Every structure is written in structure tokens, then in C-alpha cells.
Amino acid sequence: MTRQRYVIVGGGVAAASAAAGLRSHGFDGEVVMVSDDPVLPYERPPLSKQVLAQPTQPEPTYLKPESWYADNDVTAMLKVRATAFDPRARTVELSTGESLRYSGLLLATGVRARTLPGVEGEHVLTLRSLADASLLRRRLAAAQKIVVLGGGFIGCEVAASAVALGKRVTIVERTASLMEAALGPALGEVLTDVHRAAGVQLVLRSVVQQVTDTASHAVVHTTRGVVEADLVLIGAGTVPNTELAGAAGLDLDGGVVTDEYSRTSVPGVYAAGDVASIYHPYYGKRLRVEHHDTAMHHGISAAKNMLGTAEPFREPHWFWSDQYSHTLHQVGRAEPGDELVVRGSMDDLSFSAFYLRDSRITKVISLNRPKDVLVARRLLFSEHTATKDLLLDESLPLNRLAPRRSTSRAEAS
């Protein structure tokens, strides 16, 4: 009897967690991971922070040690690209010229750094991979003036890392505050003030028109003036790697479309991680989320569903960001019209912003109060009651927002 083979295309956290999920849930057939990365799956969050701070080339923080792949009979094909797949024949074509037959296929192809038209040259970099971070770390050592194009997660984290290295940093951002898309204007302004206080120069409400590259430096032309830089980092978001899926005829909509069980529009083909636009049963719509924690849980969920367990993926989407001495956490999703209640002190940079709808928490953003988010994460999809008065009462532990479980007489005795 032919042994079943599950092929995972991708080499990030979703791919690694899916491989682990297949084994931990009893699959004893072949597991093959195809990755064009030269190294095994590793942690990406440190790339914009700890990796840049190292005086020497750091080793990647692997998600699984090399021995795990051998011990669990997982074949990792590195520096190999999946060039096409045929859903009818159930085969994946590889850049090596090989063809792999599959019983089940998981697309975990992730995303790539977005580039900007007219912004290129010797002094212009992006950040997505370990190789990108290693190059950025080396170039930062010789640079003094850094310009970051984009005030989102990557841009703000790299800016904070560069300031810690003693660099002069300018952020160019098209909105009125940093991380406004994720935090909203009011909370974005708090983070903007944090970067201002650290000495970052901000060029807000500004769009980059082009970058002129010279032998010694770059000149950044914006709608609000010109900035010179020894080094320019594009931090303008990402683009999902959907080309492989699209060429095979899978439905796309800002990502690879899946149902809540990670199934794509083609039988036997699943998608997980940053590339997947998955239907979320709690929110009642498809979402594509680029968070490390979400990708990890999504990979495991997809593996279980590939094995026949009909279990919907309904994670609340949690992420964190470290900038200077501050830690930002967020969980959940809010909608326009949700009530905003701030617990703690925004002036003291120690607060949690709760979004409420129908006396329920929909989203929490915390600055330097991670425990609030950890509690809220458990409450989001469970029974609880949250009001402005309750949240403003800091003597009330947040776990008291959930109803107390009644104790039976037998339990009491």
C-alpha cells in the first residue's frame, strides 16, 4: 500500500507548526516541507529588534531544532521552490525538476516585503527574512542617518532599534500618527509621542515620491520636503505570496480564500498563516492576519483538519510589539462605533484601551500592561459582562467580568 504524503509549501511558523501538528495528531505517513529559504523555520519577531542589536552575526532562533525533523521523520527541502501544482494530478512541481505526489497539500507561502515605486538603490533595504536582517544589521553599523519609510510595526520597531544603537532616525508616514491603522488616531498619537521623546524626527501626513541614490547617501523626496539618509528602510507593509495558488486556479481575495477549516476552493488543498484569507466564524467574515501567534495556531489547526478533524479556526488574534522599554499588546477586533474605555493612565504610559459592544469586550490594546490582555484573551469568546464603570474600577480584577461558576453542595463538601 502506498504511504500517504502531505506536502507543506512554505518555511515559516505556520509551516513548522503544521508539520508538528500532523505528527502530534497521529499522522504516520510522509511529511515533506518545501521551502525556498536556506535555513529551517525560525522566529521572525526578533529580526527587527534583537538581531539588529547584536554586535556579531546572530544565530537564528529556530522554531524546532534540526534534530526534531529527523526524529519526527519530517523532510525539509531547503532552497527549493514550488513552481506549480496540479490539483487534478495531485502533484507539486519543484525548482529542482522533481515532481512530488501528494495526498494533501498545505500552502503556507507567507508574505514578502512591499516595495515602493521609485524607491530603490544601493542605500535602500527591506526587512522580511533573516538574510534581510543580517544585511540591515551590517549596514546600520556604518550608517548615522536612517530614514524609515512607514510608521507601522516593522518601521517603528526598526526605528527604536536604530535609536538604541545611537543613530539619527527619521520616520516618514502618510497618516497623522504612527501605527494608526492598528491603533487608531488617539492611541497612535501616544506611540507617536513615545518616538518623539526618544529623538525620532517625524515627517507625518507625507508620501514618498522617489529616492535619489548617490555614491555616498540617498536623498528621500517626500510631499513635505527632502531628507538625506545613509540608509533607507522600506517599512510599507507586505504582499501575500498568492502567485502559486492563483496559477492553480484557487480563489483569491486579498489572500488565498479558505473556509473556517482552512480548506481552499480546491479539494485536498489547504492554506494557513499570513497568506490565508480565512473565514472566522466568530466575526462572520474572512480575515487575513499577519501575526506570529496566529500563524502558529493556524498551522496546527490546518493540520488537524487535513487529518479529518472538523475543527474551525477561531483564534482571537493576539500580537505584541516591543519598542524602547515599552511593550504593546493587542487582542481581538473592533468595529466602528465600539465604545472606547481606557483603564490606567495614558499620561504615565501604563494603560489598557478596551473596546466594547453590547457590554462585551471586542478588542484590547495595552501599553505596559500585558496581564490585562492575557485576561481579556480568555474572555473574548466566552460569557462576560464589561461596562465602562466596571473597567474604570481598578480595584476590580478583570477576571471578575466573567460570571462566577456556582459551587455545588457536593463540591463544597
Side-chain angles (χ1 to χ4, degrees):
M1 184 177 177
T2 303
R3 193 182 183 200
Q4 282 192 308
R5 175 190 289 151
Y6 283 172
V7 175
I8 301 169
V9 179
V13 60
S17 63
L22 288 170
R23 287 298 185 229
S24 64
H25 290 90
F27 180 63
D28 59 2
E30 292 184 59
V31 177
V32 180
M33 185 173 65
V34 179
S35 171
D36 59 4
D37 208 303
V39 296
L40 292 168
Y42 54 87
E43 300 270 1
R44 291 187 188 272
L47 299 184
S48 56
K49 300 180 282 291
Q50 294 93 330
V51 168
L52 301 182
Q54 297 298 318
T56 58
Q57 176 65 34
E59 287 295 316
T61 304
Y62 291 111
L63 294 166
K64 299 287 185 184
E66 184 176 0
S67 59
W68 180 89
Y69 295 87
D71 293 344
N72 288 274
D73 191 22
V74 173
T75 301
M77 303 181 71
L78 303 179
K79 295 191 288 187
V80 176
R81 186 168 53 89
T83 58
F85 68 92
D86 185 340
R88 292 185 178 180
R90 294 208 168 197
T91 57
V92 180
E93 306 303 320
L94 307 180
S95 57
T96 59
E98 299 171 80
S99 179
L100 290 176
R101 291 190 62 84
Y102 65 82
S103 306
L105 175 65
L106 177 66
L107 301 178
T109 48
V111 297
R112 61 185 179 273
R114 185 184 301 277
T115 57
L116 299 174
V119 181
E120 58 185 10
E122 175 64 23
H123 299 91
V124 178
L125 301 178
T126 57
L127 177 58
R128 176 62 189 169
S129 68
L130 178 64
D132 294 338
S134 298
L135 176 59
L136 178 57
R137 183 189 64 81
R138 294 195 302 271
R139 298 288 294 276
L140 275 172
Q144 285 303 315
K145 293 182 291 184
I146 317 299
V147 172
V148 178
L149 307 182
F153 287 103
I154 292 296
C156 286
E157 289 181 351
V158 170
S161 297
V163 167
L165 293 170
K167 311 303 179 182
R168 292 162 55 190
V169 179
T170 299
I171 298 178
V172 180
E173 167 57 36
R174 64 189 308 151
T175 64
S177 60
L178 301 180
M179 291 183 60
E180 188 169 307
L183 305 181
L187 301 185
E189 189 58 40
V190 174
L191 194 69
T192 301
D193 289 341
V194 167
H195 281 267
R196 279 201 188 98
V200 175
Q201 299 298 306
L202 300 174
V203 183
L204 303 175
R205 300 186 182 91
S206 181
V207 177
V208 179
Q209 296 172 313
Q210 73 174 94
V211 172
T212 305
D213 215 30
T214 73
S216 61
H217 65 280
V219 180
V220 180
H221 302 263
T222 80
T223 52
R224 295 177 69 87
V226 172
V227 186
E228 292 189 352
D230 301 319
L231 187 63
V232 177
L233 177 80
I234 301 176
T238 62
V239 178
N241 296 320
T242 59
E243 291 80 5
L244 185 68
L250 274 64
D251 289 349
L252 305 178
D253 185 9
V256 180
V257 171
T258 79
D259 63 11
E260 61 265 47
Y261 306 107
S262 304
R263 299 177 299 203
T264 71
S265 57
V266 171
V269 181
Y270 297 72
D274 294 355
V275 77
S277 177
I278 184 171
Y279 179 80
H280 197 294
Y282 183 82
Y283 296 116
K285 59 184 177 181
R286 283 198 308 273
L287 302 170
R288 191 178 69 81
V289 179
E290 297 180 25
H291 301 325
H292 175 91
D293 184 74
T294 298
M296 179 180 67
H297 287 96
H298 196 181
I300 296 171
S301 174
K304 293 167 70 174
N305 283 298
M306 292 174 77
L307 295 175
T309 301
E311 181 178 292
F313 183 66
R314 58 192 308 270
E315 282 293 311
H317 304 144
W318 166 75
F319 74 82
W320 78 97
S321 177
D322 295 324
Q323 299 174 36
Y324 308 106
S325 60
H326 306 292
T327 299
L328 183 76
H329 287 254
Q330 178 178 306
V331 68
R333 298 184 71 85
E335 297 290 342
D338 288 0
E339 181 183 10
L340 174 60
V341 178
V342 176
R343 180 180 172 106
S345 171
M346 295 175 72
D347 290 339
D348 294 338
L349 301 181
S350 177
F351 66 88
S352 291
F354 289 80
Y355 292 80
L356 306 179
R357 188 188 322 136
D358 299 329
S359 299
R360 291 182 58 86
I361 298 169
T362 58
K363 174 180 172 179
V364 183
I365 301 171
S366 78
L367 186 65
N368 300 320
R369 292 175 63 136
K371 290 183 179 179
D372 287 358
V373 169
L374 294 178
V375 175
R377 185 177 183 177
R378 295 192 295 268
L379 292 174
L380 275 181
F381 298 160
S382 61
E383 184 183 353
H384 69 276
T385 299
T387 64
K388 179 177 180 179
D389 289 343
L390 290 172
L391 291 172
L392 292 180
D393 180 3
E394 294 220 51
S395 68
L396 179 73
L398 290 175
N399 57 17
R400 292 284 297 276
L401 299 177
R404 288 189 174 184
R405 187 171 65 90
S406 60
T407 303
S408 68
R409 186 172 299 176
E411 288 177 319
S413 61

